[in-house]
Amino acid sequence: MKIVRTFKIKLNLSNDQISMIDNTTQSFLEALNYASKVSFDNGEISNKPALQKIVYNDLRAKFNLKSQMAVNVCTAVCGSYATQHSNKVYGVLAKYKAPKAIYSYGRDYSFLDDKKVISLNTIDKRIKVPFKVNNYFKKYLTKDWVFGSLELVKLKNNYYAHITVNKEIEEQPITEFKNIIGIDVGQNFIATIYDSKEKVKFYKGRHLKDMRAKYKHLRKQLQEKGTHNAHNKIKAINQREQRTMTYINHCISKSIVDYAKETNAIIVLEDLKGINLSCKVKRENRYYRVSWAFDELQRFIEYKAMNSGLKVMCINPKYTSQTCPKCGHVAKNNRDKKLHIFKCRACGYTLNDDLIATKNIQHKGYDERIRLEAV
Ligand SMILES: [Zn+2]
């Protein structure tokens, strides 16, 4: 299995280099819009060789692009139309607004000097640029990863390179896994796990409630003030709260994936796409029901698990909180939400309702494994 990641580095450009990069990203942008118009006028071409055949020479001559960059313009434009078509969007001209450039490794960019300097093509000449990379991203500069495309992006007068890397990961046969962990996110706890060894763990996020209360109080005070300054402060508080939530998600996903590695486990998650999270949510549970925080935690778990060569399954969330984990009876009134009790109407099985969904998720993963083994 191939895993793909993107990381960014900040370029330390001299003034001369900035103007060369400015020219290059501006030309590239104009070339994108030119090629997009040609594609559009010819029936929205999304086939790269076909578009390249028509526009390649123009892209080289009109916009001064190097050979590989002209090819990358065609790739980007065809990608845009292919995406539109897969979303059933037709008759809409794809437009590009922000200056950028897309480079290919080995052709338009490469690393020098023990990967402390990056060499970049511009439409004027090749330049050598020192760069900064944060510690978390340094692993992508090791031999383990293969470099792919690079995108130059300007943000607040600084240039960044977003670099795609990939790595081939050996996947274990499904029969080799020793454990199956079901994970439920965002019910009464941030996450709940239940596995083949009947281990149960609740991730409560103890400090989360205190934090919420503190920020809620602060926000209320600021709202009463109603000034412009107070409004900005509320924004800052929201961002801080988000960052804290992201940090908590990182910690929880790491803890879960570490346990999965230890026990060589398949991870089972609910496929949350398509669920309307805003409905039927009690006010006091709102925070945990914020969908981005959910998605983020699931993404972190998936990402970390796949990096370690573990298998992740996404199962259909239908009836996971109404099904009896013992006899399989499905009924809405199996669950007493007020008392937080699950009592099966068919067999009488009783349990605290926090665990029901997690158990059912784990069971669905187990069934899926049996199905896959039989294939
Ligand atoms: Zn039952």
Side-chain angles (χ1 to χ4, degrees), residues 117-193:
V117 172
I118 188 165
S119 158
L120 296 167
N121 242 343
T122 72
I123 53 176
D124 299 299
K125 63 174 188 185
R126 213 163 168 109
I127 55 174
K128 290 174 188 170
V129 183
F131 62 86
K132 261 193 204 142
V133 59
N134 75 28
N135 283 333
Y136 182 76
F137 289 146
K138 275 185 181 151
K139 59 186 175 215
Y140 296 128
L141 288 166
T142 61
K143 274 192 194 124
D144 295 347
W145 295 85
V146 179
F147 295 112
S149 66
L150 174 153
E151 190 170 331
L152 283 177
V153 181
K154 195 177 195 175
L155 275 175
K156 288 182 187 166
N157 285 325
N158 285 310
Y159 269 107
Y160 295 85
H162 292 189
I163 300 168
T164 306
V165 285
N166 67 71
K167 175 162 86 168
E168 200 62 49
I169 284 201
E170 217 176 299
E171 218 178 338
Q172 286 188 82
I174 192 133
T175 46
E176 309 248 307
F177 288 98
K178 301 280 185 283
N179 190 13
I180 300 174
I181 305 177
I183 304 169
D184 185 26
V185 297
Q187 296 290 339
N188 293 306
F189 302 97
I190 302 179
T192 311
I193 70 170

Coordinates of all heavy atoms in Angstrom, one line a residue, residues 117-193:
V117 N 19.5 22.8 1.4 CA 19.2 23.8 0.4 C 18.3 23.2 -0.7 O 18.5 22.0 -1.0 CB 20.5 24.3 -0.3 CG1 20.2 25.2 -1.5 CG2 21.4 25.0 0.8
I118 N 17.4 23.9 -1.2 CA 16.5 23.4 -2.3 C 16.9 24.2 -3.6 O 17.1 25.4 -3.5 CB 15.0 23.5 -1.9 CG1 14.2 22.8 -3.0 CG2 14.5 24.9 -1.7 CD1 12.7 22.5 -2.5
S119 N 16.9 23.5 -4.6 CA 17.2 24.1 -5.9 C 15.9 24.1 -6.7 O 15.2 23.1 -6.9 CB 18.3 23.2 -6.7 OG 18.2 23.5 -8.0
L120 N 15.6 25.4 -7.2 CA 14.3 25.5 -7.8 C 14.4 26.2 -9.2 O 15.2 27.1 -9.4 CB 13.4 26.5 -7.0 CG 13.0 26.1 -5.6 CD1 12.4 27.3 -4.8 CD2 11.9 25.0 -5.7
N121 N 13.6 25.7 -10.1 CA 13.6 26.3 -11.4 C 12.7 27.6 -11.4 O 11.7 27.6 -10.7 CB 12.9 25.4 -12.4 CG 13.8 25.0 -13.5 OD1 14.8 25.6 -13.8 ND2 13.4 23.9 -14.2
T122 N 13.2 28.6 -12.1 CA 12.3 29.8 -12.3 C 12.3 30.0 -13.8 O 13.1 29.4 -14.5 CB 12.8 31.1 -11.6 OG1 13.9 31.6 -12.2 CG2 13.0 30.8 -10.1
I123 N 11.4 30.9 -14.3 CA 11.5 31.1 -15.7 C 12.7 31.9 -16.1 O 13.1 31.9 -17.3 CB 10.2 31.8 -16.2 CG1 9.9 33.1 -15.5 CG2 9.0 30.9 -16.2 CD1 8.7 33.9 -16.0
D124 N 13.4 32.5 -15.2 CA 14.7 33.2 -15.5 C 15.9 32.2 -15.4 O 16.5 32.0 -16.4 CB 14.9 34.4 -14.5 CG 13.8 35.4 -14.6 OD1 13.7 36.0 -15.7 OD2 13.1 35.6 -13.6
K125 N 16.1 31.7 -14.2 CA 17.2 30.7 -14.1 C 16.9 29.9 -12.8 O 16.0 30.1 -12.1 CB 18.5 31.4 -14.0 CG 18.6 32.3 -12.8 CD 20.0 32.9 -12.6 CE 20.1 33.7 -11.3 NZ 21.3 34.4 -11.1
R126 N 17.8 28.9 -12.7 CA 17.7 28.0 -11.5 C 18.3 28.7 -10.3 O 19.3 29.4 -10.4 CB 18.4 26.7 -11.8 CG 17.8 25.5 -11.1 CD 18.2 24.2 -11.7 NE 17.7 23.2 -10.7 CZ 16.7 22.4 -11.0 NH1 16.2 22.4 -12.1 NH2 16.4 21.5 -10.1
I127 N 17.6 28.6 -9.1 CA 18.1 29.3 -7.9 C 18.2 28.3 -6.8 O 17.6 27.2 -6.7 CB 17.1 30.4 -7.5 CG1 15.7 29.9 -7.3 CG2 17.2 31.6 -8.5 CD1 14.8 30.9 -6.7
K128 N 19.2 28.6 -5.9 CA 19.4 27.7 -4.7 C 18.9 28.5 -3.5 O 19.3 29.6 -3.2 CB 20.9 27.5 -4.5 CG 21.4 26.5 -5.6 CD 22.9 26.4 -5.5 CE 23.4 25.6 -6.7 NZ 24.9 25.6 -6.8
V129 N 18.1 27.8 -2.7 CA 17.4 28.5 -1.6 C 17.5 27.7 -0.3 O 17.1 26.6 -0.2 CB 15.9 28.7 -1.9 CG1 15.2 29.5 -0.9 CG2 15.7 29.4 -3.3
P130 N 18.0 28.4 0.8 CA 18.0 27.7 2.1 C 16.5 27.8 2.6 O 15.7 28.6 2.2 CB 18.9 28.6 3.0 CG 19.1 29.9 2.3 CD 18.7 29.7 0.8
F131 N 16.2 26.8 3.4 CA 14.8 26.8 3.9 C 14.7 26.3 5.3 O 15.6 25.8 5.9 CB 14.0 25.8 3.0 CG 14.4 24.4 3.0 CD1 14.0 23.5 4.0 CD2 15.4 24.0 2.1 CE1 14.4 22.2 4.0 CE2 15.8 22.6 2.1 CZ 15.3 21.8 3.1
K132 N 13.5 26.6 5.9 CA 13.2 26.1 7.3 C 12.1 25.0 7.2 O 11.2 25.1 6.5 CB 12.6 27.3 8.1 CG 13.7 28.0 8.9 CD 12.9 28.9 9.9 CE 13.9 30.0 10.4 NZ 13.2 31.3 10.5
V133 N 12.3 24.0 8.1 CA 11.3 23.0 8.1 C 11.1 22.7 9.6 O 12.1 22.6 10.4 CB 11.7 21.7 7.3 CG1 13.0 21.1 7.8 CG2 10.6 20.7 7.3
N134 N 9.9 22.5 10.1 CA 9.7 22.2 11.5 C 10.0 20.8 11.8 O 10.0 19.9 10.9 CB 8.3 22.7 12.0 CG 7.2 21.8 11.6 OD1 7.3 20.6 11.4 ND2 6.0 22.4 11.5
N135 N 10.2 20.5 13.1 CA 10.7 19.2 13.5 C 9.8 18.1 13.1 O 10.3 17.0 12.7 CB 10.9 19.2 15.0 CG 12.2 19.9 15.4 OD1 13.1 20.0 14.6 ND2 12.2 20.5 16.6
Y136 N 8.5 18.3 13.1 CA 7.6 17.3 12.8 C 7.7 16.8 11.4 O 7.5 15.6 11.1 CB 6.1 17.8 13.1 CG 5.1 16.7 12.8 CD1 4.9 15.7 13.8 CD2 4.3 16.8 11.7 CE1 4.0 14.7 13.5 CE2 3.4 15.8 11.5 CZ 3.2 14.8 12.4 OH 2.3 13.8 12.2
F137 N 8.1 17.7 10.5 CA 8.1 17.4 9.1 C 9.5 16.8 8.6 O 9.7 16.4 7.5 CB 7.8 18.6 8.2 CG 6.4 19.1 8.2 CD1 6.1 20.4 8.2 CD2 5.4 18.1 8.3 CE1 4.7 20.8 8.2 CE2 4.0 18.5 8.4 CZ 3.7 19.9 8.3
K138 N 10.5 16.9 9.6 CA 11.9 16.5 9.2 C 11.9 15.1 8.7 O 12.8 14.7 7.8 CB 12.8 16.8 10.3 CG 13.3 18.2 10.3 CD 14.4 18.4 11.4 CE 14.8 19.9 11.3 NZ 15.2 20.4 12.6
K139 N 11.1 14.2 9.2 CA 11.1 12.8 8.8 C 10.9 12.6 7.3 O 11.3 11.6 6.8 CB 10.1 12.0 9.6 CG 8.7 12.5 9.5 CD 7.7 11.8 10.4 CE 6.3 12.4 10.2 NZ 5.5 12.4 11.5
Y140 N 10.1 13.6 6.7 CA 9.8 13.4 5.3 C 11.1 13.7 4.4 O 11.0 13.4 3.2 CB 8.7 14.3 4.9 CG 7.4 14.0 5.6 CD1 6.7 14.9 6.3 CD2 6.9 12.6 5.6 CE1 5.5 14.6 6.9 CE2 5.7 12.3 6.2 CZ 5.0 13.3 6.9 OH 3.9 13.0 7.6
L141 N 12.1 14.2 5.0 CA 13.3 14.5 4.3 C 14.3 13.3 4.3 O 15.4 13.4 3.8 CB 14.0 15.8 4.8 CG 13.3 17.1 4.4 CD1 13.9 18.2 5.2 CD2 13.4 17.4 2.9
T142 N 13.9 12.2 5.0 CA 14.8 11.1 5.1 C 14.6 10.2 3.9 O 13.7 10.3 3.1 CB 14.5 10.2 6.4 OG1 13.1 9.8 6.3 CG2 14.6 11.1 7.6
K143 N 15.5 9.1 3.8 CA 15.5 8.2 2.7 C 14.2 7.4 2.5 O 13.9 6.8 1.5 CB 16.7 7.3 2.8 CG 17.9 7.9 2.2 CD 19.0 6.8 2.1 CE 20.4 7.4 1.8 NZ 21.3 7.0 2.8
D144 N 13.4 7.3 3.6 CA 12.2 6.5 3.6 C 11.2 6.9 2.6 O 10.3 6.2 2.2 CB 11.6 6.5 5.0 CG 12.4 5.9 6.1 OD1 13.4 5.2 5.7 OD2 12.1 6.1 7.3
W145 N 11.2 8.2 2.3 CA 10.2 8.8 1.5 C 10.6 9.2 0.1 O 11.8 9.6 -0.1 CB 9.6 10.1 2.2 CG 8.9 9.7 3.5 CD1 9.5 9.6 4.7 CD2 7.6 9.5 3.7 NE1 8.6 9.3 5.7 CE2 7.4 9.2 5.1 CE3 6.4 9.4 2.9 CZ2 6.2 8.9 5.7 CZ3 5.2 9.1 3.5 CH2 5.1 8.8 4.8
V146 N 9.7 9.0 -0.9 CA 10.0 9.4 -2.3 C 9.3 10.7 -2.6 O 8.2 10.9 -2.3 CB 9.4 8.3 -3.2 CG1 9.7 8.7 -4.7 CG2 10.0 7.0 -2.9
F147 N 10.1 11.7 -3.1 CA 9.6 13.0 -3.4 C 8.7 13.0 -4.6 O 9.0 12.3 -5.6 CB 10.7 14.0 -3.6 CG 11.5 14.3 -2.4 CD1 12.8 13.9 -2.4 CD2 11.0 14.9 -1.3 CE1 13.6 14.1 -1.2 CE2 11.7 15.1 -0.1 CZ 13.0 14.7 -0.1
G148 N 7.6 13.7 -4.6 CA 6.7 13.9 -5.7 C 6.6 15.3 -6.1 O 7.7 15.9 -6.3
S149 N 5.4 15.8 -6.3 CA 5.3 17.2 -6.8 C 5.5 18.2 -5.7 O 5.3 17.9 -4.5 CB 4.0 17.4 -7.5 OG 3.0 17.3 -6.6
L150 N 5.8 19.4 -6.1 CA 6.0 20.6 -5.2 C 5.1 21.7 -5.7 O 5.1 22.0 -6.9 CB 7.5 21.0 -5.1 CG 7.9 22.2 -4.3 CD1 9.3 22.0 -3.9 CD2 7.7 23.5 -5.1
E151 N 4.4 22.3 -4.7 CA 3.6 23.5 -5.1 C 4.1 24.7 -4.4 O 4.3 24.7 -3.2 CB 2.2 23.3 -4.8 CG 1.2 24.3 -5.4 CD -0.2 24.0 -5.3 OE1 -0.6 22.8 -5.3 OE2 -1.0 24.9 -5.2
L152 N 4.4 25.8 -5.1 CA 4.9 27.0 -4.5 C 3.7 27.9 -4.1 O 2.8 28.1 -5.0 CB 5.7 27.8 -5.5 CG 7.2 27.4 -5.7 CD1 7.8 28.3 -6.7 CD2 8.0 27.5 -4.3
V153 N 3.6 28.3 -2.9 CA 2.4 29.0 -2.4 C 2.9 30.3 -1.7 O 3.8 30.2 -0.9 CB 1.6 28.1 -1.5 CG1 0.3 28.9 -1.0 CG2 1.2 26.8 -2.1
K154 N 2.2 31.4 -1.9 CA 2.6 32.6 -1.2 C 1.6 32.9 -0.1 O 0.4 32.9 -0.4 CB 2.6 33.8 -2.2 CG 3.3 35.0 -1.7 CD 3.4 36.1 -2.7 CE 4.4 37.2 -2.3 NZ 4.5 38.2 -3.4
L155 N 2.1 33.1 1.1 CA 1.2 33.5 2.2 C 1.8 34.6 3.0 O 2.9 34.5 3.5 CB 1.1 32.3 3.1 CG 0.0 31.2 2.8 CD1 0.2 30.0 3.8 CD2 -1.4 31.7 2.9
K156 N 1.0 35.7 3.1 CA 1.5 36.9 3.8 C 2.9 37.2 3.5 O 3.8 37.4 4.3 CB 1.4 36.6 5.3 CG 0.0 36.6 5.8 CD -0.1 36.4 7.3 CE -1.5 36.2 7.8 NZ -1.6 35.7 9.1
N157 N 3.2 37.4 2.2 CA 4.5 37.8 1.7 C 5.7 36.8 1.9 O 6.8 37.1 1.8 CB 5.0 39.1 2.3 CG 4.2 40.3 1.7 OD1 3.9 40.2 0.5 ND2 3.8 41.3 2.4
N158 N 5.3 35.6 2.4 CA 6.4 34.5 2.4 C 6.0 33.4 1.5 O 4.8 33.1 1.2 CB 6.4 33.9 3.8 CG 7.1 34.8 4.8 OD1 8.2 35.3 4.6 ND2 6.4 35.1 5.9
Y159 N 7.1 32.8 0.9 CA 6.8 31.7 0.0 C 7.0 30.4 0.8 O 8.0 30.2 1.5 CB 7.8 31.8 -1.2 CG 7.1 32.5 -2.3 CD1 7.6 33.8 -2.7 CD2 6.1 31.9 -3.1 CE1 7.0 34.5 -3.8 CE2 5.5 32.6 -4.1 CZ 6.0 33.9 -4.5 OH 5.4 34.6 -5.5
Y160 N 6.1 29.5 0.5 CA 6.2 28.1 1.1 C 6.2 27.1 -0.1 O 5.6 27.3 -1.1 CB 5.0 27.8 2.0 CG 5.0 28.7 3.2 CD1 4.4 29.9 3.2 CD2 5.6 28.2 4.4 CE1 4.4 30.8 4.3 CE2 5.6 29.1 5.5 CZ 5.0 30.3 5.5 OH 5.0 31.1 6.6
A161 N 6.9 26.0 0.2 CA 6.8 24.9 -0.8 C 6.0 23.8 -0.1 O 6.4 23.3 0.9 CB 8.2 24.4 -1.2
H162 N 4.9 23.4 -0.7 CA 4.2 22.2 -0.2 C 4.6 21.0 -1.1 O 4.4 21.0 -2.3 CB 2.7 22.4 -0.4 CG 2.1 23.5 0.4 ND1 0.8 23.8 0.6 CD2 2.8 24.4 1.2 CE1 0.6 24.8 1.4 NE2 1.8 25.2 1.8
I163 N 5.3 20.1 -0.4 CA 5.9 19.0 -1.1 C 5.2 17.7 -0.8 O 4.9 17.4 0.4 CB 7.4 18.8 -0.7 CG1 8.1 20.1 -1.0 CG2 8.0 17.6 -1.4 CD1 9.5 20.2 -0.4
T164 N 4.8 16.9 -1.8 CA 4.2 15.6 -1.7 C 5.2 14.5 -1.6 O 6.1 14.5 -2.5 CB 3.2 15.4 -2.9 OG1 2.3 16.5 -2.9 CG2 2.4 14.2 -2.6
V165 N 5.1 13.7 -0.7 CA 6.0 12.5 -0.6 C 5.2 11.2 -0.5 O 4.0 11.3 -0.1 CB 6.9 12.6 0.6 CG1 8.0 13.6 0.4 CG2 6.2 12.9 1.9
N166 N 5.8 10.1 -0.9 CA 5.1 8.9 -0.7 C 6.0 7.8 -0.2 O 7.2 7.9 -0.3 CB 4.3 8.5 -2.0 CG 5.3 8.2 -3.1 OD1 5.9 7.1 -3.1 ND2 5.4 9.0 -4.1
K167 N 5.4 6.7 0.3 CA 6.2 5.6 0.8 C 5.3 4.3 0.6 O 4.1 4.3 0.8 CB 6.4 5.9 2.3 CG 7.1 4.7 3.0 CD 7.7 5.2 4.3 CE 6.8 5.2 5.5 NZ 7.4 5.4 6.8
E168 N 6.0 3.3 0.3 CA 5.3 2.0 0.1 C 5.3 1.3 1.4 O 6.4 1.1 2.1 CB 6.1 1.2 -1.0 CG 5.3 0.1 -1.6 CD 4.1 0.5 -2.4 OE1 4.2 1.5 -3.2 OE2 3.0 -0.1 -2.1
I169 N 4.2 0.9 1.9 CA 4.1 0.2 3.2 C 3.6 -1.2 3.0 O 2.6 -1.4 2.3 CB 3.2 1.0 4.2 CG1 3.9 2.2 4.7 CG2 2.7 0.1 5.3 CD1 3.4 2.7 6.0
E170 N 4.3 -2.1 3.6 CA 3.9 -3.5 3.5 C 2.7 -3.8 4.3 O 2.7 -3.5 5.5 CB 5.1 -4.4 3.9 CG 5.1 -5.6 3.0 CD 6.4 -6.5 3.4 OE1 7.5 -6.0 3.2 OE2 6.1 -7.6 3.8
E171 N 1.6 -4.3 3.7 CA 0.4 -4.6 4.5 C 0.4 -6.1 4.9 O 0.7 -6.9 4.1 CB -0.8 -4.3 3.6 CG -1.9 -3.6 4.4 CD -3.1 -3.3 3.4 OE1 -2.9 -3.2 2.2 OE2 -4.2 -3.2 3.9
Q172 N 0.1 -6.3 6.2 CA 0.0 -7.6 6.7 C -1.2 -8.3 6.1 O -2.2 -7.7 5.9 CB -0.2 -7.6 8.2 CG 0.9 -7.3 9.1 CD 0.5 -7.5 10.5 OE1 0.5 -8.6 11.0 NE2 0.0 -6.5 11.2
P173 N -1.2 -9.6 5.8 CA -2.4 -10.3 5.5 C -3.4 -10.2 6.6 O -3.0 -10.2 7.8 CB -2.0 -11.8 5.3 CG -0.5 -11.7 5.2 CD 0.0 -10.5 5.9
I174 N -4.6 -10.1 6.3 CA -5.7 -9.9 7.3 C -5.7 -11.0 8.4 O -6.0 -10.7 9.6 CB -7.1 -9.7 6.7 CG1 -8.1 -9.2 7.7 CG2 -7.6 -11.0 6.1 CD1 -8.9 -8.1 7.1
T175 N -5.3 -12.2 8.1 CA -5.3 -13.3 9.0 C -4.2 -13.1 10.1 O -4.3 -13.8 11.2 CB -5.0 -14.6 8.3 OG1 -3.9 -14.4 7.4 CG2 -6.2 -15.1 7.5
E176 N -3.2 -12.3 9.9 CA -2.1 -12.1 10.9 C -2.4 -11.2 12.0 O -1.8 -11.3 13.0 CB -0.9 -11.6 10.2 CG -0.5 -12.3 8.9 CD 0.8 -13.1 9.0 OE1 1.8 -12.5 9.4 OE2 0.7 -14.3 8.7
F177 N -3.5 -10.4 11.9 CA -3.8 -9.5 13.0 C -4.3 -10.3 14.2 O -5.0 -11.3 14.1 CB -4.8 -8.5 12.6 CG -4.3 -7.4 11.6 CD1 -4.4 -7.5 10.3 CD2 -3.5 -6.4 12.1 CE1 -3.9 -6.6 9.4 CE2 -3.0 -5.4 11.3 CZ -3.2 -5.5 9.9
K178 N -3.9 -9.8 15.4 CA -4.2 -10.6 16.6 C -5.4 -10.0 17.4 O -5.9 -10.6 18.4 CB -3.0 -10.6 17.5 CG -1.8 -11.3 16.9 CD -1.9 -12.8 17.0 CE -0.6 -13.5 16.5 NZ -0.5 -13.5 15.0
N179 N -5.8 -8.8 17.0 CA -6.8 -8.1 17.8 C -7.7 -7.2 16.9 O -7.3 -6.8 15.8 CB -6.1 -7.2 18.9 CG -7.0 -6.6 19.9 OD1 -8.2 -7.0 20.0 ND2 -6.5 -5.6 20.7
I180 N -8.9 -6.9 17.4 CA -9.8 -6.0 16.7 C -10.3 -4.9 17.7 O -10.8 -5.3 18.7 CB -11.0 -6.7 16.1 CG1 -10.5 -7.8 15.1 CG2 -11.9 -5.7 15.4 CD1 -11.6 -8.6 14.5
I181 N -10.0 -3.7 17.4 CA -10.4 -2.6 18.3 C -11.5 -1.8 17.7 O -11.4 -1.2 16.6 CB -9.2 -1.7 18.7 CG1 -8.0 -2.5 19.2 CG2 -9.7 -0.6 19.7 CD1 -6.8 -1.6 19.4
G182 N -12.7 -1.8 18.4 CA -13.8 -0.9 18.0 C -13.6 0.5 18.6 O -13.3 0.5 19.8
I183 N -13.8 1.5 17.9 CA -13.7 2.9 18.5 C -14.9 3.7 18.2 O -15.3 3.8 17.0 CB -12.4 3.6 17.9 CG1 -11.2 2.8 18.1 CG2 -12.3 5.0 18.5 CD1 -10.0 3.3 17.4
D184 N -15.5 4.3 19.2 CA -16.6 5.1 19.1 C -16.1 6.5 19.5 O -15.5 6.7 20.5 CB -17.7 4.7 20.0 CG -19.0 5.5 19.8 OD1 -19.2 6.0 18.7 OD2 -19.8 5.5 20.8
V185 N -16.4 7.5 18.6 CA -16.0 8.9 19.0 C -17.1 9.8 19.3 O -18.2 9.7 18.7 CB -15.1 9.5 17.9 CG1 -13.8 8.8 17.7 CG2 -15.8 9.7 16.6
G186 N -16.9 10.6 20.3 CA -17.8 11.8 20.5 C -19.2 11.5 21.1 O -20.1 12.3 21.0
Q187 N -19.4 10.4 21.8 CA -20.6 10.2 22.5 C -20.5 11.0 23.8 O -20.3 12.2 23.8 CB -21.0 8.7 22.7 CG -21.2 8.0 21.4 CD -22.5 8.5 20.7 OE1 -23.4 9.0 21.3 NE2 -22.6 8.2 19.4
N188 N -20.6 10.3 24.9 CA -20.4 11.0 26.2 C -19.0 11.2 26.5 O -18.6 12.0 27.4 CB -21.1 10.2 27.3 CG -22.6 10.2 27.2 OD1 -23.2 11.3 27.0 ND2 -23.2 9.0 27.1
F189 N -18.1 10.4 25.8 CA -16.7 10.6 26.0 C -16.1 11.0 24.6 O -16.7 10.8 23.6 CB -16.1 9.2 26.5 CG -16.7 8.8 27.7 CD1 -17.7 7.8 27.8 CD2 -16.2 9.3 28.9 CE1 -18.2 7.4 29.0 CE2 -16.8 8.9 30.1 CZ -17.8 8.0 30.2
I190 N -14.9 11.5 24.7 CA -14.3 11.9 23.4 C -14.1 10.6 22.6 O -14.4 10.6 21.4 CB -12.9 12.6 23.6 CG1 -13.1 13.8 24.5 CG2 -12.3 12.9 22.3 CD1 -11.8 14.5 24.7
A191 N -13.6 9.5 23.2 CA -13.5 8.3 22.5 C -13.7 7.1 23.5 O -13.4 7.2 24.7 CB -12.2 8.2 21.8
T192 N -14.3 6.0 23.0 CA -14.4 4.8 23.8 C -13.9 3.7 22.9 O -14.2 3.6 21.8 CB -15.9 4.5 24.1 OG1 -16.5 5.7 24.6 CG2 -16.1 3.4 25.1
I193 N -13.1 2.8 23.6 CA -12.6 1.6 22.8 C -13.0 0.3 23.5 O -13.2 0.2 24.7 CB -11.1 1.6 22.5 CG1 -10.3 1.4 23.8 CG2 -10.7 2.9 21.9 CD1 -8.8 1.2 23.6

